[in-house]
Every structure is written in structure tokens, then in C-alpha cells.
Amino acid sequence: MEKDCTVFTIRRLFKEDMEKIKEYSSNFDFLHFNPLNEEYIWHILLEGAFWAVLDGQKVVSVTYLLPADSTAFTQLNAAWNVIDLLDCSLENTLLCGYVHTDSSYADRDIYTALSNLWTVQAARRGRSQMIHFIPAHIDFDLERLLNAGFELVGLRGLDNLVPHYIFTKAVSFEKIKTQPGQQVEKCKITDTKAISMLCEHNYRGFDMDVEKNILFRR
């Protein structure tokens, strides 16, 4: 993959940046259910944080962080789905929330910057695992997210059955390597039924091949 040499900066957003935060959240209003309502936004400001990726002074991407055991998240059906899928403890997990990126930066490596941010913040909060999920109807850079060390572990309808890709990563800057002899399955990125089935059988998507198939292992 061609390397992106753009140097991005990242800064935290506060209540004084509410206009930017609301602009970010409005990008998900087209979904049947957008969790980023005003109440949820205030919970994030109190218990987590919003962060912006900047190119110079221009905000090109926004995301949020929230302890997965926070009241705001555990009240959502999404929390139950995550627990059921991963059989994990939310108290050790940091939720890496929706990402929205300016369309003119869709081909830039935003996810490397975000992955580094998420990892540092998770470590500071004493969390050993990160979970990131994003609505399936939104274009995002799957290959770069996998290259950043996240693994695709689920494709499920979360709140109001809005389908989401669900990713997880241990709090480490290292990418898990495939072991010799490990069984690998591949699946077309468009075959959502097969992706969901593989994940439900404990396969994890970890990379993409030159034909843009997702590679799975377990």
C-alpha cells in the first residue's frame, strides 16, 4: 500500500467545541437510530472524550472515546450485543466510537492516527481491550483499520437493528501475527452474510489480500 506522508495533529474537543461535535453527530442522523443525541453527547463529555484529527487548522475527522462500562453505553442494546459476542468484561474495555471523516480525506490514513490515539488513551485509563464499531452503511477504510491491528469480530444489528461492523484490539501497538499452519479463510467484502457467519463461528478478520478479500483466522 502506498504510504500517506500527511502529518496530522489530534486535539481533544470540549463543550466550547459543541458546534463541531453536533456537526459530527449529525452525520449519523440518516440511520434508523443515532445514539449521539444531546444526552449521550454530554455523557461522553463527562465520562469520555471527543477527539478531532486536524490537517493544519482543518478538522478532517472526529471520533469519541467512552469507558464501555459507562452508564450511557450500558443502557444501549449495543452493549448487550458486544458482551454476547465477545464474552468480555466491559470494565476492562474502552469504546472507540463512530468515526466520521471528511470525504476529501477518504483516501488518507486517518485510522493510523486514530488507532494510536485510542491505544494511548486506553492505556491511560487502565483498559486492556478496545472495541470499535461503525454502521455498515458508512464508507470507511477497512484495510487501514485492519493494518492498524484491529480485528473484525462481528457484523450485527445493534440498536434498532442498525447493522454494524464490530472490531476489537488488545491495548498494544503490536499487530497479532498469523501462526504457521493457522487456518485462514477469505471472504468477499460484499458478502455480508458470509462475514457475519464467519464471525459468529469465532473467526476474526485480520487482513485483506490483493483482490480485496477479507482474510479470517481463529
Side-chain angles (χ1 to χ4, degrees):
M1 179 187 296
E2 183 180 350
K3 291 291 184 181
D4 183 350
C5 297
T6 304
V7 177
F8 295 110
T9 57
I10 298 178
R11 78 170 179 88
R12 187 172 177 177
L13 300 179
F14 297 93
K15 62 181 181 179
E16 293 78 12
D17 300 296
M18 186 61 75
E19 183 178 344
K20 291 184 177 68
I21 293 171
K22 288 187 174 180
E23 181 180 353
Y24 152 73
S25 66
S26 69
N27 289 291
F28 308 102
D29 284 343
F30 74 94
L31 301 170
H32 295 304
F33 176 77
N34 180 3
L36 289 161
N37 55 37
E38 188 169 354
E39 181 180 0
Y40 196 75
I41 286 171
W42 280 108
H43 273 293
I44 294 171
L45 287 169
L46 289 170
E47 300 181 75
F50 287 96
W51 291 84
V53 179
L54 297 95
D55 182 6
Q57 297 300 311
K58 181 180 179 181
V59 174
V60 300
S61 186
V62 177
T63 187
Y64 70 88
L65 299 173
L66 188 65
D69 57 344
S70 66
T71 302
F73 181 62
T74 55
Q75 289 178 343
L76 298 175
N77 288 336
W80 179 89
N81 274 282
V82 166
I83 294 171
D84 178 65
L85 178 67
L86 298 178
D87 190 26
C88 67
S89 171
L90 294 185
E91 66 183 13
N92 296 319
T93 303
L94 184 69
L95 176 65
C96 308
Y98 289 179
V99 173
H100 181 266
T101 301
D102 187 302
S103 58
S104 63
Y105 285 76
D107 62 341
R108 305 294 186 91
D109 192 1
I110 301 293
Y111 266 122
T112 292
L114 291 178
S115 178
N116 289 339
L117 165 71
W118 291 338
T119 301
V120 168
Q121 292 300 313
R124 286 180 177 176
R125 291 170 179 265
R127 305 278 161 151
S128 59
Q129 179 174 241
M130 298 174 287
I131 291 175
H132 171 55
F133 54 74
I134 192 163
H137 301 306
I138 293 176
D139 290 332
F140 69 103
D141 197 336
L142 173 60
E143 186 169 13
R144 283 193 169 109
L145 181 58
L146 297 175
N147 285 338
F150 278 81
E151 293 185 317
L152 174 58
V153 296
L155 176 53
R156 284 190 172 191
L158 299 185
D159 295 283
N160 285 27
L161 300 181
V162 177
H164 286 69
Y165 289 102
I166 305 169
F167 300 86
T168 187
K169 182 180 185 295
V171 178
S172 167
F173 288 96
E174 298 296 325
K175 184 175 180 180
I176 299 174
K177 297 180 180 179
T178 303
Q179 300 300 318
Q182 190 170 19
Q183 183 179 358
V184 175
E185 301 284 345
K186 66 180 181 179
C187 180
K188 292 181 180 179
I189 193 171
T190 55
D191 194 345
T192 54
K193 184 176 180 179
I195 292 172
S196 178
M197 185 176 298
L198 282 167
C199 290
E200 294 297 330
H201 285 83
N202 299 318
Y203 281 88
R204 293 174 170 237
F206 69 97
D207 206 349
M208 298 183 76
D209 63 17
V210 293
E211 297 177 341
K212 302 301 180 183
N213 295 305
I214 305 174
L215 302 180
F216 287 84
R217 64 186 170 200
R218 64 175 176 181

